Amino acid sequence: MDSPLLRRLFSRALRASLASPLVLAGCDGIEGIIDPGGVDTSGYSSPRCEGSAVAVSGLSPAVSPDFVQLRFVTKSFDGSYHQESVSSSSGTACATASDKAACESALSNLTSTNGFRASCADLCVAFYVAMTRGDEVTALTTVESLKSFLGPIDTAQEAALLAFASNYNLSCTDLERGGVRARADGGFDVIGTRGHTCGKDTGITRYVLEVTPGGDVKQVRSALIEPGNPNCIVGRRPVGLRAAGGVACSEALGRHFASAAHLEAAAIKAFLRLREELALHGADVALQDAALVSALEEVMHTDVSMRLARRFGATPHRLEVEALPLRSLFEVALENAVEGCVRETFGALVAHHQALHARDTQVREAMTRIADDETRHAELSWAIDRWARERLSSSEREALREAKREAVATLREEVTVPLDAELLSEAGMPSPEVAASLMATLEQELWA
């Protein structure tokens, strides 16, 4: 599909949507349950971090090791892809081993197919701890084995590491989202979060935890601190994208454009990574160059969205994308099918709707430029889809079709969520009824 054909399809979809009532729906009320008072951070300190992840320094295990390393495993669902990376390290590997060469070889060959803090999206990611003590080389792959290794929890960093291993996120810089303090009874209080802010029924919840000296992690209280954005569909999300923090803004327009700026910045990373992966798998230079041009255009989109966010009183949070290895052609094609052929294509159509209907002049002018660029990005997605499908097996092609169907079904649910009236009028976002009409055209003529 080329851009003229895609534009004609968008034009038909927009004309068809005019038959749907432009209902100005109000807020869905989720703001009313956000924790209004914050949390008292007196006495808390940030956990030690290496990069943007919890570090393994500052531990005092029952029996001291020579070396501790936090690793994460990235693997495909079918086991055909497996990659290990290092998150943080402490100590000197094999320092007291009787046969240092043998110990170092065992550590280099140490691997695991599972771990704690496991999660799956396009790929599955899990963490484990590699440890050397004398001639012993061990992988700690469960929370229980980690607790046994640590012994009594008597340092703040041990409490933070246990909370991290128990699936809580700890910020390295924001005490209200990541902090540790000692308790009078010998345990520790830990502040952490769970969740993300992209999609229907999502949100970030803050937890105050008690970590006992025996290693039990107990929830003391919790509160929703950031509702998810049900319409986070514009832009291509890279694998490894970490959830954005809460946006301190009472204006719906500010929150909307802060979220958009975060996703546009993420799309820069996504297209740069896509260019690398296209080159890895021998794609035409034209496809590689188009990915690079798309990344450069997303830089402009990010700047425009950030300026709009600040105009409406919001400041987007810093982008965090975990560095992950390049993927197989099938995994690249699978992500492209969901993020490009479905979500990015619909996002481009929404941008055209905003360019036509936004009451705010600055928003309308910005979306006119963005809509043109996003249409080219959508066309690139379909070109990559055609190129990749010729190189995949029949079962892999069927998996792509199923992934598209599931992505469309998910998107269909997301667009049913009512939006704030200002987003409909000032930003030109489609109401649920209009969004459903736009989707119906694409389902009939493009996604069928």
Side-chain angles (χ1 to χ4, degrees):
M1 173 172 292
D2 56 28
S3 290
L5 289 176
L6 196 57
R7 289 175 187 276
R8 285 197 289 272
L9 176 57
F10 284 177
S11 180
R12 288 199 297 273
L14 291 165
R15 286 198 301 271
S17 73
L18 295 177
S20 300
L22 292 171
V23 179
L24 296 181
C27 297
D28 60 7
I30 193 168
E31 288 85 354
I33 62 172
I34 299 176
D35 178 21
V39 63
D40 182 4
T41 58
S42 301
Y44 282 91
S45 59
S46 297
R48 295 187 187 184
C49 291
E50 189 170 316
S52 59
V54 173
V56 288
S57 57
L59 309 180
S60 62
V63 180
S64 297
D66 296 326
F67 179 71
V68 182
Q69 190 172 69
L70 181 62
R71 300 178 175 182
F72 61 91
V73 182
T74 308
K75 61 182 181 178
S76 58
F77 289 97
D78 61 5
S80 60
Y81 176 82
H82 183 280
Q83 175 70 36
E84 298 204 11
S85 304
V86 174
S87 179
S88 60
S89 302
S90 179
T92 303
C94 304
T96 64
S98 60
D99 187 340
K100 189 173 182 179
C103 175
E104 289 176 342
S105 176
L107 179 63
S108 177
N109 293 323
L110 185 68
T111 186
S112 177
T113 58
N114 52 37
F116 48 79
R117 197 183 166 86
S119 62
C120 290
D122 293 327
L123 297 174
C124 294
V125 178
F127 288 78
Y128 76 95
V129 168
M131 180 271 291
T132 74
R133 182 189 293 127
D135 294 320
E136 178 187 2
V137 178
T138 305
L140 310 174
T141 62
T142 66
V143 174
E144 288 304 315
S145 64
L146 179 61
K147 288 165 60 175
S148 178
F149 163 70
L150 293 174
I153 305 303
D154 49 14
T155 73
Q157 193 64 17
E158 289 180 339
L161 181 60
L162 263 188
F164 173 83
S166 301
N167 293 312
Y168 294 94
N169 302 313
L170 277 74
S171 169
C172 299
T173 57
D174 183 353
L175 287 179
E176 292 197 352
R177 293 170 182 264
V180 189
R181 72 178 178 189
R183 295 169 56 91
D185 60 7
F188 293 87
D189 292 324
V190 178
I191 298 173
T193 63
R194 282 178 173 173
H196 60 91
T197 57
C198 188
K200 181 185 177 183
D201 298 328
T202 62
I204 295 177
T205 299
R206 177 173 54 222
Y207 295 86
V208 177
L209 310 168
E210 177 188 347
V211 180
T212 69
D216 295 327
V217 179
K218 304 176 181 178
Q219 292 182 6
V220 177
R221 62 182 181 273
S222 64
L224 178 70
I225 59 173
E226 174 70 9
N229 176 7
N231 296 285
C232 67
I233 50 180
V234 178
R236 177 184 285 256
R237 299 170 300 184
V239 62
L241 176 62
R242 290 175 177 164
V247 177
C249 180
S250 60
E251 296 292 328
L253 288 167
R255 294 194 303 271
H256 171 79
F257 285 110
S259 177
H262 186 262
L263 290 170
E264 298 287 11
I268 301 170
K269 296 278 190 181
F271 278 117
L272 291 175
R273 179 185 177 89
L274 178 61
R275 185 197 186 200
E276 286 187 79
E277 292 176 322
L278 289 172
L280 175 66
H281 297 296
D284 294 341
V285 174
L287 289 179
Q288 298 177 43
D289 289 347
L292 177 59
V293 170
S294 297
L296 296 175
E297 289 171 340
E298 296 293 2
V299 173
M300 184 278 293
H301 300 177
T302 302
D303 180 65
V304 170
S305 298
M306 288 182 69
R307 283 190 279 111
L308 287 171
R310 293 190 177 110
R311 178 189 160 201
F312 294 114
T315 301
H317 281 268
R318 182 173 62 88
L319 180 71
E320 293 186 33
V321 179
E322 184 177 345
L324 296 173
L326 301 182
R327 298 162 295 174
S328 68
L329 176 59
F330 171 66
E331 289 162 336
V332 173
L334 190 64
E335 179 188 74
N336 181 72
V338 172
E339 295 295 323
C341 296
V342 176
R343 302 188 72 88
E344 194 167 39
T345 299
F346 185 68
L349 179 53
V350 169
H352 280 285
H353 187 277
Q354 291 181 264
L356 289 172
H357 296 286
R359 185 181 300 168
D360 185 281
T361 302
Q362 291 184 29
V363 173
R364 189 168 63 251
E365 292 175 351
M367 296 315 301
T368 298
R369 168 66 188 275
I370 289 174
D372 286 341
D373 293 343
E374 293 295 348
T375 301
R376 287 193 298 274
H377 300 177
E379 193 278 330
L380 173 61
S381 299
W382 288 95
I384 292 171
D385 186 68
R386 292 192 300 271
W387 169 80
R389 288 172 64 84
E390 294 176 354
R391 290 157 179 80
L392 298 176
S393 67
S394 58
S395 61
E396 288 172 328
R397 290 194 293 271
E398 177 55 36
L400 293 191
R401 285 190 288 271
E402 180 58 29
K404 288 177 186 175
R405 285 193 289 267
E406 292 180 1
V408 170
T410 299
L411 187 58
R412 193 185 303 116
E413 292 183 6
E414 290 177 7
V415 302
T416 64
V417 178
L419 300 180
D420 188 279
E422 282 192 325
L423 294 181
L424 300 178
S425 59
E426 301 304 310
M429 290 291 292
S431 68
E433 294 82 2
V434 172
S437 173
L438 296 175
M439 281 204 65
T441 300
L442 296 186
E443 286 190 72
Q444 293 168 7
E445 302 191 39
L446 183 60
W447 293 329

